[in-house]
């Protein structure tokens, strides 16, 4: 792990990495950030256990935390660099409670891709180092193969873990259902309940 | 019995499972009581806005959540309430220490604290003020029931007449 800006240019593919998440953890509850993370997830597979957010930027990882503390099943968050930057403090909250069934994936495309691709400034931010510094375990990936390994290691870790994955920006045409209460109700119904 | 223990009893009686909070002197006695209640899980936040997400997650996992914070902290949650809780129909109960009105000494607490109810009304979050300690448990119980029955967030504003304002005069 290094605090040097990553300028080597190697990037993973967000669509293939999202598919790898569903392949490795087919029953996981997946909470996806508004915009690209949700669009990609909906295109890979529109599952009942996908909780797509349509708003509340910066609150995606907290939704995953609350869910992971409530249920025993695997919870995976698909967050973005812009949303994570908006609430870096949330990682400290995750570390404080440290549920072992939570993995936070930060797909870092370096841009506010949903609003036109303006630079997010994330090239100066080492998300894996930030996560480690506040007490989470973290892993990094800049290729699809490395992501598969990093996600597996994050699942194995006995505590909350973050996977920081540099990806190329994508602009998928797929969209989750626009009926937001339906998305939430369908997801909740698919969770078994205590 | 204190109003704080009445409130905690009302939360437990109405199946609240999780309380997310940021510490605040005005609710420290309530938070202490919550922390001491085995039937409530607690989540300490770094920023109140996170609490809206955490409690949405709790509800999606079949729990019931309450947020405890000060009015200035609720100010950080407006985007999350207005773009997650309200439009997705995800309920929570908020217990908010209201600064900015009677006995307020700090001008920085006034604009949002005094305007809190108007802001909540504008984004479609129902709310009620709580001033009488004798009524606290009953009204918090009623607020909890309507929040989770209607699947909407609901805020109970704990006024300075209930909690006792900071004495800086």
């Amino acid at each position: 792990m290094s605090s040097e800006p990553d300028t080597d240019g190697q990037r993973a593919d967000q669509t293939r990495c999202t598919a790898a998440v569903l392949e490795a953890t087919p029953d996981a509850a997946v909470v996806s950030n508004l915009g690209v993370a949700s669009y990609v997830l909906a295109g890979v597979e529109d599952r009942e256990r996908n909780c797509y957010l349509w708003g509340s930027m910066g609150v995606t990882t907290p939704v995953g935390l609350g869910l992971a503390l409530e249920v025993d099943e695997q919870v995976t968050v698909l967050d973005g660099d812009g949303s994570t930057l908006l609430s870096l403090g949330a990682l400290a909250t995750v570390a404080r409670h440290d549920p072992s069934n939570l993995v936070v994936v930060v797909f870092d495309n370096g841009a506010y891709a949903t609003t036109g691709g303006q630079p997010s400034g994330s090239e100066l931010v080492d998300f894996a180092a930030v996560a480690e510094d506040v007490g989470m375990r973290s892993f990094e990936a800049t290729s699809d193969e490395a992501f598969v390994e990093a996600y597996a290691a994050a699942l194995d870790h006995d505590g909350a873990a973050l996977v920081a994955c540099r990806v190329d920006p994508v602009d998928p045409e797929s969209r989750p259902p626009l009926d937001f209460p339906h998305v939430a109700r369908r997801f909740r119904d698919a969770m078994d309940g205590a | 019995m204190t109003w704080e223990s009445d409130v905690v009893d009302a939360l437990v009686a109405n199946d609240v499972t999780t309380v997310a909070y940021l510490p605040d002197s005005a609710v420290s006695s309530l938070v202490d009581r919550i922390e001491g209640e085995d039937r409530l899980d607690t989540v300490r936040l770094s920023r109140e806005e996170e609490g809206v997400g955490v409690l949405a997650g709790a509800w999606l996992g079949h729990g019931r959540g309450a947020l405890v914070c000060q009015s200035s902290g609720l100010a950080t949650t407006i985007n999350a309430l207005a773009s997650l809780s309200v439009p997705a129909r995800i309920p929570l109960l908020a217990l908010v220490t209201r600064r900015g009105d009677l006995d307020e000494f700090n001008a920085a607490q006034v604009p949002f604290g005094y305007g809190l109810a108007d802001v909540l009304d504008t984004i479609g979050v129902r709310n009620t003020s709580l001033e009488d300690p004798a009524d606290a448990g009953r009204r918090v119980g009623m607020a909890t029931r309507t929040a989770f029955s209607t699947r909407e967030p609901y805020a109970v504003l704990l006024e300075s007449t209930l909690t006792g304002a900071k004495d800086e005069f």
Side-chain angles (χ1 to χ4, degrees), chain A residues 116-137:
Chain A
Q118 302 87 348
S120 70
S122 68
E123 71 277 6
L124 298 174
V125 179
D126 185 335
F127 290 107
V130 171
E132 290 275 344
D133 277 352
V134 298
M136 290 177 73
R137 185 78 176 89

Side-chain angles (χ1 to χ4, degrees), chain A residues 51 53 55-57 59 62-63 65-67 69-71 89-90 92-93 96-97 180-181 184-185 187-188 191-194, chain B residues 17-18 41-47 49-50 52-54 56-63 79-80 83-84 87-90 151:
Chain A
C51 184
L53 301 187
S56 61
M57 185 168 170
V59 180
V63 172
L65 172 62
L67 182 63
L69 293 171
E70 190 67 36
V71 302
T93 308
R96 182 179 299 138
H97 299 281
F180 202 3
R185 191 177 307 115
F187 178 90
R188 185 171 185 264
M191 301 304 293
D192 295 335
Chain B
T17 58
T18 308
D41 293 329
T42 56
V43 180
R44 255 194 64 198
L45 306 166
S46 306
R47 176 179 163 90
E49 182 186 28
E50 299 164 5
V52 175
V54 165
W59 186 80
L60 291 166
H62 295 265
N79 185 54
S83 67
L84 176 60
R89 299 287 303 274
I90 296 180
R151 295 193 171 187

Side-chain angles (χ1 to χ4, degrees), chain A residues 113-184:
Chain A
T114 307
T115 60
Q118 302 87 348
S120 70
S122 68
E123 71 277 6
L124 298 174
V125 179
D126 185 335
F127 290 107
V130 171
E132 290 275 344
D133 277 352
V134 298
M136 290 177 73
R137 185 78 176 89
S138 70
F139 304 89
E140 291 179 281
T142 57
S143 70
D144 300 349
E145 297 74 22
F147 177 80
V148 169
E149 287 180 23
Y151 185 61
L155 291 169
D156 281 346
H157 173 64
D158 185 21
L162 179 141
V163 178
C165 182
R166 299 252 187 201
V167 293
D168 285 318
V170 289
D171 185 16
E173 293 191 357
S174 50
R175 293 290 183 273
L178 275 163
D179 185 339
F180 202 3
H182 163 73
V183 168

Side-chain angles (χ1 to χ4, degrees), chain A residues 79-86 106-112 120-122 127:
Chain A
D79 216 333
D81 49 304
S83 177
T84 304
L85 283 172
L86 204 62
V106 178
F107 284 127
D108 178 4
N109 58 20
Y112 298 107
S120 70
S122 68
F127 290 107

Side-chain angles (χ1 to χ4, degrees), chain B residues 34-109:
Chain B
I34 287 167
E35 284 281 11
E37 173 54 66
D38 292 341
R39 289 169 292 180
L40 294 173
D41 293 329
T42 56
V43 180
R44 255 194 64 198
L45 306 166
S46 306
R47 176 179 163 90
E48 294 84 348
E49 182 186 28
E50 299 164 5
V52 175
V54 165
L55 299 176
W59 186 80
L60 291 166
H62 295 265
R64 286 185 171 203
L67 175 69
V68 175
C69 64
Q70 181 173 263
S71 48
S72 55
L74 200 76
T76 76
T77 72
I78 299 303
N79 185 54
L81 288 170
S83 67
L84 176 60
S85 313
V86 172
R89 299 287 303 274
I90 296 180
L92 63 81
L93 177 74
L95 300 174
V96 185
T97 316
R98 181 164 178 240
R99 299 281 304 267
D101 196 7
L102 295 177
D103 243 359
E104 182 58 63
F105 67 93
N106 183 352
Q109 290 285 353

